[in-house]
Amino acid sequence: MDAESIDILACWGSNDFGASRINATGRSGGLLNIWDNRVFTSTEVIHSRHFLINIGSWPGIQEPIVFANIYGPQASRDKIALWEELSRIKNEKKGVWVLMGDFNVVRRPDERFNFTFCPRSAREFNSFIHDAGLIELKMGGHRFTCFRNDDSKLSKLDRYLLSPSFIDLIPSASVTALPKEFSDHCPILLSSTWCDFGPPSFKLFNSWMLRDGFEPAFVKAWNNFSGFGTPDCYLAAKLRHVEKAIKKWRATDRLSERRGSNYETKTDCRQPRHGG
């Protein structure tokens, strides 16, 4: 599908938007940038087969802000050419940079699973990030963003790379990989709002499993739970029920542990002294 054929109005839900696009070449490529005209004003567009850059203004930010949508090539030599071209443009166009999209390369071996890792491509990509002075925020949500072969092959190809000045302006910025639905890639979201995910999760130490009373408390709570709702809600409620039972057991176990410790201390104090 060509980018020109996409009904942006139906996707956006408002007439007050701007857009720039480049069409796909064969079955690959094709980029589309959409923005809210009340928030961002585009003054310049730079594009090639592998990137679509909009430069403009953002309320509250004095410098120009640059949004670069990236679709990385497959071949290693083409990747090098892309990093060189982006570096040149970044040096020419000063401002707050936000690079986003599918870079088609990973930075470390742990960003691939059941895929061959290419050290050279990773090294060249990391050099580009370092030389361009860019920062990658830690991504929440999914660890990988690309799922292939019935999800048996996983890679982190999609990411945000930001100017340090962006972090200075929006220190609460966060990146999240959302669940995939219609593509083999996860959408990734850059948010300027700090998210509170609630209190820390319940901690369970392996050593507790060896203590008296843990297994009966766990089995009783697991087997005696009754609830209702969808499977995910039912499981969450059941785990909360088990968590409460373990906390109750741990409170009693901690008292026993302290009493045992006090007894051992008193016993040690009563040992006869030897020598002088």
Side-chain angles (χ1 to χ4, degrees):
M1 177 186 291
D2 289 339
E4 294 289 346
S5 64
I6 297 176
D7 185 358
I8 300 176
L9 180 60
C11 302
W12 195 255
S14 168
N15 289 316
D16 198 6
F17 68 86
S20 58
R21 62 192 99 189
I22 55 175
N23 289 327
T25 302
R27 298 182 61 184
S28 64
L31 295 169
L32 172 63
N33 291 349
I34 313 173
W35 59 87
D36 189 332
N37 284 327
R38 297 169 298 178
V39 178
F40 175 71
T41 301
S42 178
T43 56
E44 184 178 359
V45 180
I46 305 173
H47 64 82
S48 78
R49 179 183 176 184
H50 298 293
F51 62 79
L52 177 58
I53 298 174
N54 283 95
I55 306 174
S57 59
W58 190 288
I61 299 179
Q62 300 301 320
E63 297 180 85
I65 186 163
V66 184
F67 291 103
N69 190 354
I70 311 297
Y71 184 83
Q74 292 281 350
S76 178
R77 64 179 182 277
D78 294 335
K79 287 185 174 71
I80 296 174
L82 175 60
W83 310 147
E84 292 175 349
E85 187 171 10
L86 289 173
S87 296
R88 177 185 60 78
I89 297 172
K90 187 175 184 298
N91 289 332
E92 294 175 356
K93 304 295 181 179
K94 303 300 182 182
V96 180
W97 276 72
V98 178
L99 291 87
M100 54 194 170
D102 177 3
F103 290 82
N104 209 7
V105 64
V106 298
R107 302 186 65 182
R108 302 183 302 273
D110 62 358
E111 292 185 346
R112 280 197 183 277
F113 180 76
N114 282 341
F115 266 111
T116 301
F117 173 71
C118 179
R120 179 186 175 187
S121 293
R123 184 170 57 252
E124 292 162 348
F125 185 44
N126 286 322
S127 295
F128 158 69
I129 294 172
H130 177 268
D131 295 342
L134 297 170
I135 296 174
E136 180 179 5
L137 295 179
K138 182 178 180 180
M139 188 173 66
H142 291 276
R143 177 182 173 185
F144 302 100
T145 63
C146 179
F147 299 75
R148 299 280 172 81
N149 289 14
D150 296 326
D151 297 351
S152 63
K153 293 188 175 183
L154 314 174
S155 296
K156 182 184 177 183
L157 303 181
D158 309 83
R159 65 189 77 231
Y160 279 91
L161 301 175
L162 310 170
S163 295
S165 54
F166 184 93
I167 307 300
D168 294 337
L169 292 166
I170 310 177
S172 60
S174 62
V175 175
T176 306
L178 305 176
K180 67 181 182 71
E181 293 187 26
F182 306 109
S183 170
D184 55 3
H185 285 255
C186 293
I188 53 174
L189 175 67
L190 174 64
S191 175
S192 61
T193 304
W194 181 78
C195 296
D196 182 5
F197 295 98
S201 57
F202 173 66
K203 293 181 179 180
L204 176 65
F205 296 95
N206 291 340
S207 60
W208 292 358
M209 301 180 188
L210 304 177
R211 300 186 66 82
D212 292 338
F214 174 86
E215 184 174 351
F218 177 89
V219 172
K220 181 179 179 181
W222 184 267
N223 293 335
N224 293 348
F225 174 77
S226 61
F228 58 90
T230 58
D232 56 339
C233 292
Y234 178 88
L235 177 60
K238 188 171 187 176
L239 292 176
R240 287 194 297 268
H241 177 74
V242 172
E243 175 187 338
K244 290 179 181 179
I246 294 175
K247 285 183 175 179
K248 186 177 180 180
W249 163 83
R250 180 55 184 160
T252 304
D253 181 69
R254 187 181 289 112
L255 292 175
S256 301
E257 192 175 32
R258 289 175 180 173
R259 284 196 296 266
S261 177
N262 291 337
Y263 174 77
E264 290 173 3
T265 302
K266 291 177 182 178
T267 303
D268 292 342
C269 291
R270 293 172 182 172
Q271 295 297 322
R273 296 183 179 181
H274 299 280

